[in-house]
Every structure is written in structure tokens, then in C-alpha cells.
Amino acid sequence: MTAPSIDAVRLLGRLRELGAIGRNGEGRLTRLAASDSERDGRNRLVSWLEAAGLEIAVDRIGNIFGIWAEDTADRPPLMLGSHIDTVINAGIYDGCYGVLAGLEVIETLKSSGFVPVRPIVVVAFTNEEGVRYTPDMMGSLVYAGGLDVETALATVGTDGSVLGDELRRIGYAGDREPGFLKPCAYMELHIEQGPVLEREGVAIGAVENLQGISWQKVSVEGDANHAGTTPISMRRDAGYAAARVITFLRDRAKASNTPTVATVGCMAFEPNAINVIPSRVTFTVDLRDPDEERLKQEEAALADFLKMLSGEEGVAISVERLARFEPVTFDAGIVAGIEAAARARGLSWRRMTSGAGHDAQMIARMAPAAMIFVPSKGGISHNPKEFTGDDELVAGANVLLDVVRKLVGGE
Amino acid sequence: MTAPSIDAVRLLGRLRELGAIGRNGEGRLTRLAASDSERDGRNRLVSWLEAAGLEIAVDRIGNIFGIWAEDTADRPPLMLGSHIDTVINAGIYDGCYGVLAGLEVIETLKSSGFVPVRPIVVVAFTNEEGVRYTPDMMGSLVYAGGLDVETALATVGTDGSVLGDELRRIGYAGDREPGFLKPCAYMELHIEQGPVLEREGVAIGAVENLQGISWQKVSVEGDANHAGTTPISMRRDAGYAAARVITFLRDRAKASNTPTVATVGCMAFEPNAINVIPSRVTFTVDLRDPDEERLKQEEAALADFLKMLSGEEGVAISVERLARFEPVTFDAGIVAGIEAAARARGLSWRRMTSGAGHDAQMIARMAPAAMIFVPSKGGISHNPKEFTGDDELVAGANVLLDVVRKLVGGE
């Protein structure tokens, strides 16, 4: 048979239709996990899964599965997916693209007469964004056994709600145990959420690993003296110490010739008065590296610098760990398959590292996994300006289709 | 006659009594300009001025005068003073010490039988702190002709009140025109509000000048990209640019061997999220120098640096001027008199620059002026921890007394 291609009109139409669900009066798109608007998005997804003839399953943490098993249900399935919850004031691609492309691949294979030798499952994981309930990537984390389902269901949200209550309320507290299907492999198609593919003019990212993440909160205590009357030599300036950390991190990242990235995203000065030397400054440090040893080295280098700085400026510095994830290495065989599929379609491709967290990193605990990235205009995501061109979206879905055909086996 | 000394018990007792007026249930002291609590402080001050046999006058901006004229009312008076309004959660010394020491000097001279050849006036200027109504040092600025009284009275406060209405309400909208007494000289005794005298173990500061002040607000616009997915080389990080400015100012001040001080006191990051590169950062720069040419050079050097930084990091930088005061040079003759008086009392002394703004800088527009500083423990002011020892307070008041005797002439 001729190699099929996905139905671009169907995929793009659904992406836009789902992207219309959860908009407020001003047109801002928000589908927080287990909210009314996310229920509407879930219902729409389920209607499409049913129309495609898939078996629907929902597990206790609210993950939705569309299963194409035929008479191979006893074999480990190939799983495709992502999530459909969003941040506040979101774009339409993040997560939804991976779920709808998974469905599109199944429908294309079904209608092409392909007979798989194992089930293919599309999944939408609960609460990937982590805006309403912490931690993020919760549904996939629970599914992979990294978090107890009872603990997760008891999570209290930023609005005081309890996740388990909300899942029941919206009709998505399922009865399947998380992990009930153990996949032979997991694939996730996603927009890059970074600028690399666009700037390099590359169509397909074969994502071979995912950065480790280290989040720390640093507090500096100095003296709140008068800006006019305190000579420079007598100052213990918490704001100056914070500035030194920012320039240290940049200088180190620039000099290192490694993929290490370091970001100071949050900053608060106290008393925050124009004529008072800052007495207390708190800021966050986000360190990422795909190599665990290097990430540890970066953390150690920062700790050494803070110690030196504390003595030099006469300030007290304390550090609180906010989050820490080890890097994830994706399956080399699947990554090679993505490269081969891109090449066969005449698409440019490159291996790359995911800088953001994804459900794939959680499922990688229980099965070989990998991701495919497509370009994000300007590297922008979590924002209404998030954009990937139609041709780029279709190209990514076709690469997924080809890899799935190879992985799943059949005729 | 023997040289008199001030009545330490009376001065210190009044300082504590005034410092007890305006405390809330938690003991925090706040007497904002023209508030109920400041009215209570004004009433107490006026009762002491009356008890001392002084003539009371209040001008249209609410400045209070206690006049000891005898039969010399046709001559330009010597004026002593400061203010009794406070910041929020204040100490008891800032301003009040200068007013009460002025009164103390007059009472001491009166009771010693001294007959002055010109009037001596003690003044409490309205709204020196500028917390409720902008600008600060308002009463002395209006008095010296630097701000129209009608404009000042129409000022709307942070609480929506109008200064003129509030002065009428508390009974301190006087009928004298600001500037009605043109002093032959003005002296202000004040706590240093800085650490220099304490650290050097010096009792008396003979304040020869007052720093020029340049306040600017700097806004940096970069790109809010994802902290994990955006390589360092592709970043336009507004927070990094702000950090570079802070370290530039410190490095320059340290290298210059001048009294220039530079402070970044306010800082705001947007979106202020741990995993987002700051897209917009605003911060303030407070530059001070007693030399106008050098202050201009510092402003120019900052402007050049911002231009360079804008190109280097690819960020847009804009600057808004918030305030600008030229340095003030105090009267060399009075400063020499302060030194001589300290020496004669066996007190250590040094010439110094005022880093903070004071009413004396406004009155210097209309008369020869100078200030006397006494040590501030830890350099702390505008804070309940503000502290100067009793002996230090008494020493400063006695130096003021001696200088006044010389300046005013008489027997």
C-alpha cells in the first residue's frame, strides 16, 4: 500500500475548534485543569474519540484514553498523547496539538486499512500545566507511579478547590487505576516553545532528552540604610548582591560552551523605596541542563559564589530548594526513527533537547519514550501569540504517523 | 558672665514627650503632615513656645514660629529650626530634636540674662517628610519662595486629602505670608541619619554642604521567553540588563574615590515568574554628590552605559527624571563657628556633607545657613530604632547654643 498522510483539514479544524472552547468575553483562552471550561474541552475530545470508533477509558486521576485495540488488546499498546488543560490566557497549540495529532494518526491508519499488531492509544493527561493544582504534569506523574493517586486527588488548588471533588463534579473521576495500560512505547508531538527550530529554519526536532531542572529561592539580608548618607564602603546592599548573582550566572553560562541555561525570573526588593538601600531581596534561580552531573556542578558553583558574596558584601544569604528534576534521556531507537521519518518526508530535522517539562518525561519512567517538536514562532508559548504555521503542524503530524506505523507493526 | 549650658533634663524630657504623641495601639509613632496626630504635636509645641514667653506666628503654609524679639523686632532675626512631622513608624529624633533644641537655646539664653541685639526665632516647618504630600521639605521651600503657596495648599495627598483643607481643619492655616521674617542666618541641628560620626567616634558634624540629588526611573524592555527553551545567546533579558546597571554603579563609585553615592532602591520584574525571562524591568537610580559638575558627569556616564547596554543586550531602555536638586553649599562663616564652638567645648568634630535633604537647604536660598549633626546609632533613621545618646544630644544643643550666642550678638 502507499504510505498514507494525515487529513490536514480535519486536524487543523479540530485544533481551532478546541481552541475556541474556554474563551471569556474578551476572547482570552483559559482551560484550567478540572474547571468548567476544561470539562467542555474534555467533552468535545471524547465526542471525537467516540466518532472515531475508539473505546473510551478514564482513570481515577481523570486521564482520558481513546483505545484502538481490535483483537490485539492483550498486547502492550503504543501510546500517543499530551494534555488539553491550559495556562491562563493561553494559545491553542500547547498540548492540544499532541492529543489531536495522536487521534488524527489513529483515524488515518484506520481509514487507510492498516491493521496494527498491537493497540494504539491516544491519551489526554490531567493537569499538565499545574496552574490550578501543584505539581504540574500531575496526570502523567500519577499514571507512571511517581505520585500516589489519593494524594494527588486531595490536592487543594489556588482557588481552594480539591482536585478529586472537581473531577467528580465535571464527570471525569474515572474508575480505571492509573497505569492500567502499560505502553510498549510513548510518543508526544509538541510545539517547541522555544526559538531554535524557527531561527535555524528546521522543520522537525527529534527530541533526544529533556533538561534537568533546579529551582531555588535565594534570600539576601543586608542593611536598610539611607541612600544619601551611607558611604559606599559602609553598605550591606542586598540588591547589589542579587545583581552580582545575575551577572555571575550569565557570565558562567556564556563562558561554559554548554547547553546550561540560568534564569532569574522573580525578584522582590524590600523596603523597595527609592532612597533606602535594599535590606532584603529575594529572587529565584532556574538552572537547567540535560546532563545531571553538569547540573550538579552548576548548583555547586552557585553555592560557592553565594558564600563568597556573603563574606564580600557582609550580607546573610539563605537558599531554599523549590523543585528539582533530574534530566530525562529519551529512547534512542525512537529518536532515530523520528530522524528517518523526517528524512523520508524530505523535511529538515535536528536532534534537540527539550527545555520545558512534558508528560513524556513522566511516562519515560515506565516505557521507552520520545518527543517530536515543530517550530514555535518567536519561541513564544503560554501566550495568545503562540503560533505554528499550518504546514509545520501537518508536517509534524505526518512524521508522527510514519514513526507510529513503524513502531506499532502491521500492514 | 559665665557661658551658660542648656537644661538637659528639660530638652530630653520634651523630646520624649513629643515622641509619645502619635503612637498607635502597637506603639508605632506616626505624625504625618497636617494629620490629627501632628495637630496634637503642634499643640504641644505651641504650649511650650507660649510658656517660654515667645510670640507665636503661623504662616499660610502652616509653618509655626516662636519669636523672641524684645525690642529688636525691626532687625533680621536669627532663625533656628527643623520640623515635627514624621514618616510612618518613625523614631523620635528626626526633626523634633532641631526644633526643641532651638527652643531650648532660646530659653537658656533668656534665663541666663542674655540680651540679644536681634530676634531669635524657632521654627517648625510643615511637611518636611513628604510622605503624605509631595514634595518633601514643602514648608521651607514655600517659605523661601521656591514654590507658590497656593499651589502647595492645593496639593492632593496620598489619602486624597487636600493640604490646605487639612491645615484649616487642624487649626494651622495661618495668616502670615511665607517669608514674612527674612532671617540674617538659619541654623538646623539634626541627627546625622548616617553612620559616619558614630563609626569615627566623632561628636559633632559641622555640615558644610548638602549633596545634589538626581532621581531617575529606568525602564528596560526585553522579551518574555521560556527560561528552559531559550538559549542564553538568544535572550533579551531585562533583568540581566538591570543587574548590569547596579554593578556598573557600584564599580564606578568604588573606583572614583569621590563622595558620589549611587543606590538602586526600587525594583520590579515583569512578569515576575520563576520560569519566564523578565520582559520588563523598572528600577530607580538615586545619585548624589556634593559637587554639581561631578553629579552631571555621573548622570552622563549612566546615560552612556544605558546606551551601550541597550545595544549589547538588544533591549529598549527609557529613562524618566523623577527629581533633581543641585548641591547646596552652606555658609563658611557659620561652619567655622560650629568648629570653634565644638573645639571650645572639648568635643571632637569634623566637617561633613549632608547626604539627606533638610529644610536648611531650602532656607539657604534666602539666608546664610548651616547645620550641626550629632551621631546616629548604626546610621539608622526613619525607623523606631533611630537612636542618639542623651550626652550626644546635649552636646549638640550646647554647640548650637554657643554658635547662636556668637551669631546673634549681645551680652
Side-chain angles (χ1 to χ4, degrees):
Chain A
M1 61 182 282
T2 321
S5 285
I6 61 104
D7 182 335
V9 172
R10 184 170 57 192
L11 173 62
L12 298 171
R14 285 176 178 165
L15 199 53
R16 271 158 207 140
E17 200 176 328
L18 184 54
I21 296 174
R23 294 198 180 265
N24 69 5
E26 294 160 348
R28 286 157 58 111
L29 169 61
T30 305
R31 286 197 310 269
L32 298 185
S35 65
D36 286 355
S37 60
E38 205 224 7
R39 176 199 56 212
D40 296 345
R42 285 170 175 262
N43 289 346
R44 187 69 53 95
L45 172 64
V46 167
S47 73
W48 287 325
L49 297 177
E50 286 173 340
L54 306 186
E55 176 196 339
I56 310 294
V58 179
D59 70 9
R60 293 178 61 206
I61 195 64
N63 298 321
I64 300 172
F65 302 82
I67 304 166
W68 180 32
E70 303 288 347
D71 52 2
T72 67
D74 54 329
R75 299 197 185 165
L78 174 65
M79 196 175 278
L80 313 174
S82 194
H83 62 93
I84 65 163
D85 67 313
T86 75
V87 297
I88 296 165
N89 198 21
I92 69 169
Y93 305 96
D94 180 355
C96 302
Y97 173 49
V99 174
L100 296 177
L103 169 60
E104 181 57 41
V105 162
I106 293 174
E107 289 196 82
T108 301
L109 289 176
K110 277 187 88 167
S111 62
S112 74
F114 181 82
V115 181
V117 301
R118 63 179 69 251
I120 308 179
V121 175
V122 57
V123 55
F125 289 111
T126 295
N127 188 34
E128 194 273 347
E129 295 292 3
V131 174
R132 193 176 180 203
Y133 303 100
T134 298
D136 54 359
M137 300 175 275
M138 185 188 276
S140 49
L141 179 63
V142 168
Y143 194 79
L147 176 64
D148 175 69
V149 64
E150 297 295 347
T151 306
L153 290 171
T155 306
V156 177
T158 51
D159 54 0
S161 65
V162 176
L163 175 56
D165 297 343
E166 285 291 276
L167 284 173
R168 261 194 307 278
R169 188 182 66 79
I170 67 167
Y172 283 89
D175 53 7
R176 310 303 289 263
E177 279 303 317
F180 73 102
L181 292 172
K182 187 173 180 332
C184 68
Y186 174 81
M187 291 193 66
E188 185 167 351
L189 175 62
H190 208 283
I191 58 168
E192 182 195 340
Q193 300 183 277
V196 175
L197 292 175
E198 186 200 25
R199 298 234 181 153
E200 297 188 359
V202 171
I204 298 294
V207 184
E208 59 182 344
N209 54 12
L210 192 139
Q211 289 174 330
I213 300 180
S214 162
W215 281 1
Q216 297 176 79
K217 181 171 154 189
V218 181
S219 302
V220 184
E221 300 274 354
D223 269 346
N225 281 315
H226 192 291
T229 60
T230 314
I232 296 290
S233 61
M234 293 185 183
R235 296 182 175 211
R236 298 170 58 232
D237 184 336
Y240 170 69
R244 285 284 300 281
V245 175
I246 295 175
T247 58
F248 165 79
L249 291 170
R250 169 68 73 95
D251 292 346
R252 188 169 164 89
K254 273 181 79 174
S256 72
N257 203 24
T258 66
T260 311
V261 286
T263 306
V264 173
C266 294
M267 176 70 67
F269 273 36
E270 293 175 33
N272 207 37
I274 187 167
N275 60 346
V276 181
I277 298 162
S279 59
R280 183 180 167 86
V281 170
T282 53
F283 60 96
T284 55
V285 177
D286 174 319
L287 286 172
R288 305 196 192 200
D289 200 296
D291 182 85
E292 174 64 15
E293 280 315 302
R294 214 160 43 214
L295 188 55
K296 282 182 182 160
Q297 284 167 21
E298 293 304 314
E299 291 176 317
L302 174 60
D304 288 347
F305 182 77
L306 293 177
K307 198 172 170 186
M308 182 281 294
L309 188 63
S310 171
E312 199 179 294
E313 185 69 9
V315 291
I317 301 181
S318 60
V319 174
E320 180 188 346
R321 169 147 288 177
L322 298 178
R324 183 65 162 78
F325 296 108
E326 287 197 14
V328 173
T329 301
F330 287 134
D331 184 79
I334 307 178
V335 173
I338 296 166
E339 294 179 298
R343 192 183 309 116
R345 288 254 174 196
L347 296 166
S348 57
W349 54 270
R350 61 164 284 170
R351 289 190 174 227
M352 65 191 303
T353 294
S354 174
H358 294 288
D359 291 312
Q361 81 192 71
M362 298 307 174
I363 303 305
R365 296 169 176 231
M366 68 189 305
M371 297 186 71
I372 303 170
F373 277 175
V374 295
S376 295
K377 186 169 184 195
I380 296 166
S381 74
H382 289 178
N383 189 300
K385 289 189 209 154
E386 185 178 279
F387 180 77
T388 299
D390 288 350
D391 292 351
E392 296 168 319
L393 294 167
V394 171
N398 276 322
V399 169
L400 178 66
L401 172 71
D402 296 349
V403 180
V404 166
R405 281 177 67 228
K406 284 271 168 59
L407 275 178
V408 80
E411 199 56 50
Chain B
M1 61 182 279
T2 321
S5 287
I6 61 103
D7 181 336
V9 172
R10 183 170 56 192
L11 172 62
L12 298 172
R14 285 176 178 165
L15 199 53
R16 273 159 206 140
E17 201 178 329
L18 183 53
I21 297 175
R23 294 198 180 264
N24 69 5
E26 293 160 350
R28 286 158 57 111
L29 170 61
T30 305
R31 288 195 310 268
L32 299 185
S35 65
D36 285 356
S37 60
E38 206 225 7
R39 174 200 56 212
D40 295 344
R42 285 170 175 261
N43 289 347
R44 185 70 52 96
L45 172 64
V46 167
S47 73
W48 287 325
L49 297 177
E50 286 173 340
L54 305 187
E55 176 196 338
I56 310 294
V58 179
D59 69 9
R60 295 178 59 206
I61 195 65
N63 298 322
I64 300 171
F65 301 83
I67 304 167
W68 180 32
E70 304 286 348
D71 53 1
T72 67
D74 55 330
R75 299 198 186 164
L78 174 64
M79 195 174 279
L80 314 173
S82 194
H83 62 94
I84 65 163
D85 68 314
T86 75
V87 297
I88 296 165
N89 198 22
I92 69 169
Y93 305 96
D94 180 354
C96 302
Y97 174 49
V99 174
L100 296 177
L103 169 59
E104 182 58 40
V105 163
I106 292 174
E107 289 196 84
T108 301
L109 289 175
K110 278 187 88 166
S111 62
S112 74
F114 181 82
V115 182
V117 300
R118 62 178 70 252
I120 309 180
V121 176
V122 57
V123 55
F125 289 112
T126 295
N127 188 35
E128 195 270 348
E129 295 292 3
V131 174
R132 192 175 181 203
Y133 303 100
T134 298
D136 54 359
M137 298 176 275
M138 185 189 275
S140 50
L141 179 63
V142 169
Y143 194 80
L147 176 64
D148 175 68
V149 65
E150 297 295 350
T151 306
L153 290 171
T155 305
V156 177
T158 51
D159 54 0
S161 65
V162 175
L163 175 57
D165 296 344
E166 285 291 276
L167 284 172
R168 259 194 308 278
R169 186 180 67 79
I170 68 167
Y172 283 90
D175 54 6
R176 309 302 290 261
E177 279 304 316
F180 73 103
L181 292 172
K182 187 172 180 331
C184 68
Y186 174 82
M187 290 194 66
E188 186 167 351
L189 176 61
H190 209 282
I191 60 168
E192 182 195 341
Q193 302 184 274
V196 174
L197 292 175
E198 186 201 25
R199 298 233 181 156
E200 297 187 358
V202 172
I204 298 292
V207 185
E208 60 182 344
N209 55 12
L210 191 139
Q211 288 175 330
I213 300 180
S214 163
W215 281 1
Q216 298 176 78
K217 181 172 155 187
V218 181
S219 301
V220 185
E221 300 273 354
D223 269 346
N225 281 316
H226 191 292
T229 59
T230 313
I232 296 291
S233 61
M234 292 184 182
R235 297 182 174 210
R236 297 170 59 233
D237 184 337
Y240 171 70
R244 286 283 301 279
V245 174
I246 295 175
T247 58
F248 166 80
L249 291 169
R250 169 68 74 95
D251 292 346
R252 190 171 163 86
K254 273 183 79 174
S256 73
N257 204 24
T258 66
T260 311
V261 285
T263 306
V264 173
C266 295
M267 175 71 66
F269 273 36
E270 293 175 33
N272 207 39
I274 187 167
N275 60 345
V276 181
I277 298 162
S279 58
R280 183 181 168 84
V281 170
T282 53
F283 59 96
T284 55
V285 177
D286 174 318
L287 286 172
R288 305 196 191 200
D289 199 296
D291 182 85
E292 174 64 16
E293 281 314 302
R294 212 160 45 213
L295 189 55
K296 282 182 183 162
Q297 284 167 21
E298 294 304 314
E299 292 177 318
L302 174 60
D304 287 347
F305 182 77
L306 293 177
K307 198 171 170 185
M308 183 281 294
L309 188 63
S310 170
E312 198 178 294
E313 185 69 9
V315 290
I317 302 182
S318 61
V319 175
E320 180 189 346
R321 169 147 290 177
L322 298 178
R324 182 66 161 79
F325 296 107
E326 287 196 14
V328 173
T329 301
F330 287 132
D331 185 79
I334 306 177
V335 174
I338 295 165
E339 294 179 297
R343 191 183 309 115
R345 289 253 175 197
L347 296 165
S348 57
W349 53 270
R350 61 164 284 170
R351 290 190 174 225
M352 64 191 303
T353 295
S354 173
H358 293 289
D359 290 312
Q361 81 191 71
M362 299 307 174
I363 304 304
R365 295 169 177 231
M366 69 189 307
M371 297 186 72
I372 303 169
F373 278 175
V374 294
S376 295
K377 186 168 183 197
I380 296 167
S381 74
H382 289 178
N383 189 299
K385 290 188 210 156
E386 185 178 279
F387 180 77
T388 299
D390 288 350
D391 292 351
E392 297 168 319
L393 293 166
V394 171
N398 276 323
V399 170
L400 178 66
L401 171 71
D402 296 349
V403 180
V404 166
R405 282 176 66 228
K406 285 269 167 60
L407 275 177
V408 80
E411 198 58 47

